[in-house]
């Protein structure tokens, strides 16, 4: 069997759009370096409304934002301002610590924003958790075509092409668009791989996929993703981590004490501010959210 595990994400209804979280979950703590996998939309928001994620901190991870539709303004404590749009990947490396906000652009609010995409976090590998914060927006990404399929390589190397996006650990990440009757091979090289169907219908080696489920694939086995009427899917994974990672709120680290330090730093205002968006911020959660540890 090509699929060894199926994760049905937990859905969070935010009013005008839904966020579906597949990782972390009881069924799946990591897929390669991916420690957090959210899918949101598709949604059409009301005129004048929009997404507003106030400034909040991260440590010891990298965030990856990828859109199918819509736009998001990103600001961070490095002084970065970037409008995320389909076809461009935003990679923000937190390292020692970074603060950022995500909001719908004003021009989008005026026409009623659309939102449809992926938000993922990557754990930084041993020896790189405390690297300097950094940001990059990469739009010159390789696309491959064939057999009724088109795929964009967002991170890593797939189908003989490599994206220029920085990889702190061995990572694969791609968007796959299948036409009616289209198919594409899923390579077997990565230690861990998973596929999420985010639109249409598709199957892996004849096994039907359910919309928004994350299916973890058998290691070392090549397979084929195909569709009868057209589909969009995400392929993600990479090297298996051997050292446990802990997750608390927006913090990821191999060291629990490092997370406690980050909590105190945010509570006491020791993180850097976000230029142009520092009037408000997200406070630490009330109480003590459960710390999740994995693998």
């Amino acid at each position: 069997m090509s699929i060894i595990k199926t994760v049905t994400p937990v859905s969070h209804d935010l009013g005008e759009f839904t966020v579906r979280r597949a990782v972390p979950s009881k069924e799946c703590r990591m897929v390669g370096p991916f420690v957090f996998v959210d899918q949101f939309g598709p949604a059409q928001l009301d005129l004048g409304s929009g997404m507003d994620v106030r400034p909040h901190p991260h440590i010891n991870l990298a965030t990856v934002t990828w859109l199918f539709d819509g736009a998001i303004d990103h600001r961070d404590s490095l002084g970065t301002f970037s409008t995320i749009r389909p076809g461009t990947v935003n990679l923000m490396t937190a390292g020692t610590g970074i603060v950022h906000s995500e909001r719908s652009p004003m021009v989008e609010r005026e026409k009623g924003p659309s939102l449809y995409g992926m938000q993922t976090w990557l754990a930084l590998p041993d020896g790189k958790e405390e690297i300097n914060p950094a940001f990059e927006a990469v739009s010159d990404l390789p696309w491959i075509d064939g057999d009724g399929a088109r795929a964009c390589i967002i991170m890593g190397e797939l189908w003989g092409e490599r994206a220029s996006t920085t990889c702190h650990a061995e990572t694969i990440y791609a968007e796959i668009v299948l036409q009616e009757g289209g198919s594409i091979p899923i390579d077997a090289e990565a230690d861990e791989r998973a596929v999420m169907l985010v639109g249409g219908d598709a199957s892996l080696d004849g096994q039907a996929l359910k919309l928004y489920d994350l299916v973890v694939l058998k290691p070392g086995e090549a397979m084929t993703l195909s569709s009868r009427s057209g589909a969009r899917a995400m392929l993600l994974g990479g090297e298996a981590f051997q050292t446990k990672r802990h997750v608390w709120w927006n913090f990821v680290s191999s060291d629990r004490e490092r997370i406690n330090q980050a909590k105190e730093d945010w509570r006491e205002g020791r993180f850097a501010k976000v230029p142009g968006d520092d009037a408000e911020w997200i406070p630490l959660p009330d109480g003590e959210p459960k710390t999740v540890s994995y693998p």
Side-chain angles (χ1 to χ4, degrees):
M1 181 180 293
S2 302
I3 298 171
I4 61 172
K5 187 183 300 183
T6 298
V7 181
T8 298
V10 176
S11 294
H12 300 276
D13 185 351
L14 302 185
E16 293 190 84
F17 67 99
T18 298
V19 176
R20 304 168 184 88
R21 181 161 301 164
V23 177
S25 65
K26 291 181 180 178
E27 297 84 7
C28 186
R29 300 302 191 188
M30 292 182 78
V31 182
F34 288 83
V35 293
F36 179 96
V37 178
D38 267 10
Q39 188 280 330
F40 53 89
Q44 186 68 47
L45 280 60
D46 294 336
L47 291 174
S49 66
M51 183 183 76
D52 283 294
V53 181
R54 295 169 291 161
H56 57 281
H58 293 287
I59 63 163
N60 292 188
L61 58 81
T63 67
V64 185
T65 307
W66 181 255
L67 294 178
F68 311 126
D69 190 21
I72 298 173
D73 280 346
H74 162 97
R75 286 182 169 85
D76 64 41
S77 52
L78 299 176
T80 305
F81 172 74
S82 176
T83 299
I84 312 167
R85 299 187 186 278
T88 297
V89 58
N90 267 30
L91 174 72
M92 185 187 74
T93 301
T96 56
I98 200 167
V99 181
H100 75 133
S101 65
E102 299 158 294
R103 300 182 186 271
S104 295
M106 186 56 64
V107 66
E108 296 288 319
R109 295 174 190 266
E110 291 172 352
K111 66 181 182 181
S114 55
L115 279 176
Y116 186 21
M118 304 290 299
Q119 179 70 60
T120 57
W121 298 352
L122 305 172
L124 295 178
D126 293 350
K128 293 185 177 181
E129 290 183 284
E130 296 289 341
I131 60 178
N132 291 329
F135 176 87
E136 62 187 67
V138 182
S139 57
D140 185 19
L141 297 168
W143 286 83
I144 61 102
D145 293 276
D147 202 16
R150 193 162 193 253
C152 181
I153 303 165
I154 303 167
M155 299 183 74
E157 183 173 355
L158 289 159
W159 305 292
E161 298 282 349
R162 175 173 285 276
S164 60
T165 314
T166 298
C167 291
H168 301 292
E170 287 298 318
T171 307
I172 58 168
Y173 196 30
E175 176 188 349
I176 301 170
V177 180
L178 298 173
Q179 300 173 10
E180 181 179 349
S183 65
I184 193 169
I186 303 298
D187 298 338
E189 282 77 5
D191 291 343
E192 298 176 347
R193 301 164 297 160
V195 169
M196 177 183 281
L197 177 67
V198 296
D201 75 85
S203 61
L204 269 168
D205 285 354
Q207 189 170 353
L209 304 182
K210 184 179 177 182
L211 194 61
Y212 306 124
D213 276 1
L214 183 79
V215 294
V216 181
L217 311 184
K218 185 177 180 180
E221 183 175 308
M223 56 199 73
T224 300
L225 180 70
S226 58
S227 176
R228 292 175 298 177
S229 58
R232 172 181 273 118
M234 300 300 293
L235 169 65
L236 58 92
E239 68 176 89
F241 275 39
Q242 301 304 313
T243 305
K244 181 179 291 188
R245 290 297 184 271
H246 309 289
V247 178
W248 189 94
W249 192 41
N250 297 316
F251 305 137
V252 172
S253 181
S254 61
D255 183 358
R256 285 181 182 269
E257 288 307 310
R258 180 67 180 90
I259 290 177
N260 289 333
Q261 181 63 58
K263 290 159 60 176
E264 185 65 18
D265 288 344
W266 184 245
R267 185 182 291 114
E268 298 300 321
R270 290 192 285 262
F271 276 85
K273 306 298 184 183
V274 177
D277 195 352
D278 60 356
E280 55 179 355
W281 56 90
I282 300 177
L284 282 176
D286 291 332
E288 290 292 312
K290 182 180 178 181
T291 301
V292 180
S293 302
Y294 43 89

